Amino acid sequence: MEVDSLKKYIIDNDLIIEILEKLGCHHVRDKGDYISAANPDGDNPSAITVYKNENLTTKNYTRNILRDDIYSSDLITLVEFFEKCNFFEALKKISGWIDLDFYHDFEKELPESIKITKMILEMQRGIESTENDRPLKPISEKILNYYPKRVNDMFLKDGIDYNTQNLFEIGYCDRSNRIAIPIRDEIGTLIGIKGRLFQKLISENEMKYIYLEPCSRSKILYGIYLTLPYIKEKKICYVTESEKAVQQLWSMGYKNSCGIGGKNISKEQINKLTRLCVEIVFLFDKDVSKNELEEIADRFVENQKVYAVIDANDILGEKESPTDNKEKFELLIKNNLFRIR
């Protein structure tokens, strides 16, 4: 579920009142530019104000609904507070309350001219605009029968133990000779499968990774459905390029991470990372420069703390990832962690 698109849908269809009532609020009143309401368990009829702006900015004058001061509170924050749920669960609850498919394609009915303009603007901003940006769509769990669970020694040698491989449902595709990596979104729904060629040496005409079942990698934070409790506990989220790096960190005992599926990060992923209300630490490969990392950090809101591991001491080999070796990872975190926002 895309946050900005959901908010626009709520505004365009006058659904603020319906959501507040589903939440249990009472004395809900339309005041023109905003909606006022009482808390579900309160008696002050004007305790809540939800403004009809693009952010759905929400004030609760009798409760501290914000978990952090990183972002301004909105209607989703209010749902999180009273439903005692996380951001991703709140999105699902809201979409259910307004009879909207959680995987609704908001762009399906857009005129082609607007779609083209949007694509051009994203390209100008350096944001990927490919099949990876297609709307999220769940796929049947039965598809996993074609990619049965199968641990492998290649991943084991790369630092992913068998238990971790089982937890992340690592399988095998005998038709393409690829290790199958199921991709689940933040609420655990299967949305795709990525395949890694099952051989150590890759020739120039072979693709190391392909999507066996296509998915929108730029819409999700890989692994969050498993790692979120640990991210909240540590108040730090290690952000990796690959799904494999998340599994490596888990095997090391660092369970507070997520993957963005590449070097480029989308606006949607930035929004979701911000809503975690924790410190963000980028663990990108050595070929990503400090300037590139700073450009990414600048796209976050002002109060968000963003760090990055920058291998200033040449600890890593030329093609080595920060998560390939536990000893080197811990050395990098200790001596080569820089705040970039």
Side-chain angles (χ1 to χ4, degrees):
M1 176 63 69
E2 296 179 45
V3 183
D4 291 343
S5 297
L6 174 62
K7 287 180 177 179
K8 186 177 186 305
Y9 182 87
I10 290 169
I11 294 166
D12 290 347
N13 292 278
D14 296 320
L15 294 168
I16 298 173
I17 291 176
E18 183 173 343
I19 292 168
L20 289 172
E21 289 177 343
K22 293 285 188 181
L23 186 57
C25 297
H26 53 95
H27 289 83
V28 183
R29 299 288 185 270
D30 191 332
K31 300 289 188 175
D33 292 335
Y34 65 91
I35 307 293
S36 67
N39 287 309
D41 55 353
D43 55 11
N44 183 339
S46 56
I48 296 170
T49 297
V50 182
Y51 292 93
K52 298 178 184 178
N53 55 27
E54 63 180 11
N55 184 55
L56 291 176
T57 303
T58 300
K59 305 291 185 183
N60 192 317
Y61 297 101
T62 63
R63 313 289 169 85
N64 181 18
I65 62 174
L66 265 181
R67 295 172 180 172
D68 207 310
D69 62 355
I70 293 174
Y71 60 89
S72 61
S73 56
D74 56 22
L75 187 56
I76 303 167
T77 314
L78 190 72
V79 174
E80 288 181 73
F81 180 83
F82 282 112
E83 291 292 307
K84 295 179 173 57
C85 64
N86 64 49
F87 171 67
F88 308 107
E89 292 167 339
L91 291 179
K92 188 174 183 181
K93 285 178 183 289
I94 290 171
S95 59
W97 289 343
I98 58 177
D99 295 322
L100 184 70
D101 184 353
F102 187 70
Y103 299 96
H104 179 76
D105 181 1
F106 290 101
E107 295 189 1
K108 187 175 182 180
E109 297 177 4
L110 282 178
E112 199 63 34
S113 58
I114 294 179
K115 292 180 184 177
I116 293 171
T117 301
K118 181 176 180 290
M119 180 184 69
I120 292 171
L121 288 172
E122 287 178 346
M123 290 174 67
Q124 289 174 343
R125 294 199 306 269
I127 302 171
E128 282 190 26
S129 184
T130 67
E131 281 199 339
N132 288 330
D133 282 326
R134 69 174 70 188
L136 280 183
K137 289 184 180 179
I139 60 177
S140 172
E141 292 283 335
K142 293 180 180 178
I143 287 176
L144 291 176
N145 293 331
Y146 294 98
Y147 311 100
K149 274 190 180 184
R150 197 173 299 173
V151 298
N152 65 83
D153 287 344
M154 182 185 291
F155 273 20
L156 181 66
K157 290 175 182 176
D158 283 342
I160 306 172
D161 61 51
Y162 290 152
N163 287 336
T164 301
Q165 290 186 43
N166 271 319
L167 180 66
F168 284 89
E169 305 170 281
I170 300 304
Y172 178 68
C173 175
D174 56 5
R175 291 159 296 171
S176 62
N177 187 35
R178 290 183 180 272
I179 298 168
I181 306 171
I183 308 295
R184 295 185 180 274
D185 66 12
E186 295 86 3
I187 60 173
T189 302
L190 184 67
I191 60 164
I193 296 176
K194 198 170 186 176
R196 200 279 189 198
L197 196 59
F198 194 23
Q199 58 190 52
K200 196 68 178 175
L201 299 176
I202 311 292
S203 65
E204 290 183 3
N205 63 341
E206 292 176 310
M207 295 183 68
K208 188 174 183 179
Y209 285 97
I210 64 170
Y211 279 98
L212 300 170
E213 302 291 339
C215 72
S216 313
R217 75 95 191 146
S218 66
K219 305 290 187 188
I220 68 158
L221 302 176
Y222 173 81
I224 280 281
Y225 71 102
L226 291 172
T227 64
L228 185 57
Y230 303 97
I231 291 170
K232 293 293 188 181
E233 177 189 343
K234 300 293 184 182
K235 301 188 185 312
I236 295 172
C237 180
Y238 294 119
V239 180
T240 72
E241 293 182 39
S242 69
E243 297 82 10
K244 186 178 170 184
V246 174
Q247 298 162 27
Q248 288 174 318
L249 286 170
W250 187 284
S251 289
M252 292 180 198
Y254 294 90
K255 300 181 178 181
N256 51 316
S257 72
C258 69
I260 59 171
K263 293 179 175 63
N264 294 314
I265 186 168
S266 69
K267 180 183 177 182
E268 184 71 11
Q269 288 170 325
I270 287 174
N271 285 341
K272 289 179 176 181
L273 285 170
T274 301
R275 297 299 290 242
L276 296 177
C277 298
V278 300
E279 295 181 356
I280 304 300
V281 178
F282 284 104
L283 297 177
F284 281 10
D285 290 351
K286 196 169 183 174
D287 60 349
V288 181
S289 70
K290 184 180 178 182
N291 286 341
E292 289 175 297
L293 289 165
E294 288 173 344
E295 286 175 5
I296 291 172
D298 284 343
R299 292 169 58 197
F300 282 82
V301 294
E302 186 176 350
N303 294 333
Q304 176 66 60
K305 291 181 180 179
V306 183
Y307 300 81
V309 164
I310 300 172
D311 185 18
N313 300 326
D314 287 328
I315 294 169
L316 299 174
E318 186 179 347
K319 294 185 177 181
E320 199 171 13
S321 166
T323 58
D324 283 342
N325 179 286
K326 183 178 181 180
E327 199 173 299
K328 290 186 179 182
F329 167 73
E330 292 177 342
L331 196 59
L332 287 165
I333 290 296
K334 183 179 179 181
N335 299 321
N336 293 81
L337 186 62
F338 300 91
R339 183 167 180 181
I340 54 177
R341 185 171 183 81

